[in-house]
Amino acid sequence: MDIAVLGAGSWGTAMAIHLNSMRHNVCIWTKDQEQLEEIQKTHYNKKYLDVKLPESIGITTDIEYALKNKKIVVMAVPSHAVRSVVERIRGVIDNDSIIVNLAKGLETSSLKRMSQVIKEMIDNPVVVLSGPSHAEEVCKHIPTACVISSDDINACEYVQDVMMDENFRLYINKDLIGVELGGSLKNIIALGAGISDGLGFGDNTKAALMTRGLAEITRLGVALGSDPLTFLGLTGMGDLIVTCTSMYSRNRRAGIKIGQGKSLNETLNEIGMVVEGVNTTKSAYKLSKMHNIEMPITCEIYSILFEGKDPREAVYSLMTRNKKHEMEDI
């Protein structure tokens, strides 16, 4: 299979390595000439992933060349770049190419999910891939299970056949809204878990954050049309576990720095890569107000990131809220 991977960050690089190991012909597109030259010369993409790329993986800055005669096009750019990249490929991509979107986030300006952004501009089938999948482990062929979803079940089944092997298992979930929201919103809770770590709190605190975080993710998801059971699966609980507990998670690492007293700008500069949870926090906060959904953890993280609230005060606010029954509003 001839496959294009748009984006040469950590996830795009890992996916290219995985697909190459399955004997597919893979071409990575990057807009960065220096990055292209580094990979061509050293076969490493050091800034994003410290693993050698096979020489059989192609790389180009020519997006038309990357897309030519590709049955599958993997969208591996950050969520804020999806719209601009789709605008570039509109009119160039083959009509029957299937887009597999890896970006986990919501568009800040429109509050749309990534599949909505893509379908707004082109008619190609869109399959969303989500779930607990650190690039650092996928590229090493460590057993991983993810979920894919689409409005086009045939496209889903096709992608499952092409991308799944003994180290990378793909389940199909027809709840596209839930799959996208689960993969996006868990990054907010991962920021909170990192803040908790940065403050020196322990396992009890993190367990509470993850559990109650899942409750508010589910509340918003249901209000937007999701099946609540989706959030108990790989795109919800699965992704929440991996991003809240691993140092591979940029969102958790960013949260740790903020909990230790760094500003948001200092934190993002030190991380040096996109931290999807920051913009997603802003989007989820807006959605919670629009739909009158109670999301206390999200609201407190929003206050820390964008209003300068002291993280310890945010924790106090969460812990001293009005008494509730656990299953209330679930």
Side-chain angles (χ1 to χ4, degrees):
M1 181 67 58
D2 291 332
I3 299 175
V5 176
L6 305 184
S10 55
W11 204 187
T13 303
M15 186 55 66
I17 291 171
H18 163 65
L19 294 169
N20 176 265
S21 74
M22 296 181 68
R23 311 288 189 199
H24 297 306
N25 301 314
V26 182
C27 181
I28 301 173
W29 169 79
T30 175
K31 65 179 182 180
D32 188 333
Q33 181 66 31
E34 289 185 11
Q35 186 182 37
L36 176 138
E37 291 172 0
E38 177 197 10
I39 293 172
Q40 286 180 331
K41 182 178 179 180
T42 68
H43 301 290
Y44 277 88
N45 188 9
K46 285 285 189 181
K47 178 180 178 180
Y48 294 98
L49 210 58
D50 190 15
V51 63
K52 190 172 184 179
L53 279 74
E55 293 184 17
S56 51
I57 294 177
I59 184 162
T60 182
T61 54
D62 184 340
I63 201 164
E64 292 189 26
Y65 174 80
L67 293 171
K68 189 175 181 180
N69 299 323
K70 300 300 192 296
K71 179 61 178 174
I72 289 179
V73 175
V74 177
M75 186 76 65
V77 299
S79 59
H80 69 263
V82 167
R83 182 176 291 276
S84 62
V85 172
V86 175
E87 285 176 348
R88 291 188 67 168
I89 69 175
R90 182 168 51 181
V92 177
I93 189 172
D94 292 347
N95 292 333
D96 62 346
S97 294
I98 298 171
I99 294 177
V100 179
N101 177 59
L102 308 185
K104 297 176 179 178
L106 301 169
E107 189 174 51
T108 307
S109 57
S110 68
L111 305 181
K112 290 179 178 179
R113 294 174 282 109
M114 292 298 101
S115 68
Q116 292 176 302
V117 173
I118 296 168
K119 294 293 284 184
E120 186 179 295
M121 293 183 282
I122 56 177
D123 293 328
N124 296 68
V126 178
V127 174
V128 170
L129 190 153
S130 189
S133 49
H134 288 312
E136 293 83 353
E137 296 186 0
V138 170
C139 71
K140 295 175 183 176
H141 311 295
I142 292 173
T144 300
C146 289
V147 61
I148 52 176
S149 187
S150 177
D151 290 331
D152 185 334
I153 191 64
N154 292 326
C156 249
E157 291 172 348
Y158 187 88
V159 168
Q160 187 181 44
D161 287 340
V162 170
M163 297 180 68
M164 178 172 151
D165 69 2
E166 69 273 14
N167 297 312
F168 194 70
R169 182 170 179 81
L170 292 175
Y171 291 87
I172 292 174
N173 185 328
K174 295 180 181 179
D175 179 16
L176 178 59
I177 298 173
V179 167
E180 289 191 274
L181 289 177
S184 302
L185 300 176
K186 54 83 186 178
N187 285 328
I188 304 169
I189 310 305
L191 279 169
I195 291 170
S196 172
D197 291 332
L199 290 169
F201 297 149
D203 295 338
N204 293 356
T205 314
K206 188 176 292 185
L209 269 169
M210 291 169 67
T211 308
R212 296 311 302 169
L214 187 63
E216 64 182 62
I217 287 171
T218 304
R219 280 198 296 271
L220 181 61
V222 169
L224 296 176
S226 308
D227 181 341
L229 292 178
T230 294
F231 302 105
L232 297 179
L234 290 164
T235 191
M237 179 53 75
D239 218 349
L240 196 64
I241 291 169
V242 84
T243 52
C244 289
T245 62
S246 174
M247 284 302 287
Y248 285 141
S249 168
R250 298 175 201 167
N251 294 282
R252 182 188 173 210
R253 296 204 312 271
I256 290 172
K257 292 179 183 296
I258 291 167
Q260 292 171 338
K262 298 283 180 68
S263 70
L264 178 58
N265 286 337
E266 287 173 328
T267 295
L268 295 179
N269 286 335
E270 289 185 18
I271 296 290
M273 292 181 277
V274 174
V275 179
E276 290 280 17
V278 173
N279 282 337
T280 303
T281 299
K282 190 180 294 184
S283 298
Y285 178 80
K286 291 179 182 177
L287 285 168
S288 72
K289 298 304 180 185
M290 286 171 57
H291 296 275
N292 196 28
I293 302 298
E294 192 174 27
M295 298 185 73
I297 296 172
T298 299
C299 288
E300 292 300 333
I301 293 173
Y302 178 90
S303 296
I304 294 169
L305 297 180
F306 303 111
E307 296 176 349
K309 188 169 186 177
D310 183 276
R312 290 188 181 274
E313 290 183 14
V315 174
Y316 181 81
S317 298
L318 288 170
M319 294 297 289
T320 57
R321 294 172 63 241
N322 291 337
K323 293 181 249 184
K324 289 184 174 288
H325 290 259
E326 184 185 20
M327 297 304 167
E328 190 173 337
D329 295 330
I330 295 180

